[in-house]
Amino acid sequence: MVRPHATGAAAVCRGLRPGPPGAAGAEQGLLELLANESQPAIARATAASMLQSWPGPEVAQSLFVALRADDPQIRLGALQAVSSYPSDHALATG
């Protein structure tokens, strides 16, 4: 999990090492990394793309916000994640 006071490489590494889908805290760590604007765009984009393993309303909302990010890397990561969702899931959460 990325802690609000954690910065730099340590925070990125903790956020991007979530473990297998369903691992305790993995989804939350990636969501926190994606939302943390002080982290590098490439780390946030990677977190976004990794969130495809956790389809659900909170993840979908975060990814839809990331689709409007200024940085194209973040938008691409979010697009990769939402494009893996079944079409009926995307419509139900949008």
Side-chain angles (χ1 to χ4, degrees):
M1 175 186 315
V2 178
R3 291 175 178 78
H5 63 278
T7 59
V12 171
C13 289
R14 278 194 300 273
L16 293 179
R17 194 178 54 116
E27 175 186 354
Q28 192 60 40
L30 291 171
L31 286 168
E32 289 174 9
L33 178 57
L34 176 58
N36 188 340
E37 294 183 5
S38 69
Q39 296 302 323
I42 189 66
R44 295 176 62 211
T46 302
S49 68
M50 291 174 75
L51 282 165
Q52 66 185 301
S53 297
W54 287 272
E58 183 180 6
V59 169
Q61 179 63 33
S62 293
L63 291 172
F64 291 138
V65 169
L67 286 170
R68 296 186 297 273
D70 290 335
D71 191 285
Q73 293 174 326
I74 297 170
R75 292 193 309 264
L76 179 59
L79 183 60
Q80 289 170 334
V82 298
S83 68
S84 71
Y85 281 13
S87 59
D88 60 334
H89 179 78
L91 294 173
T93 59

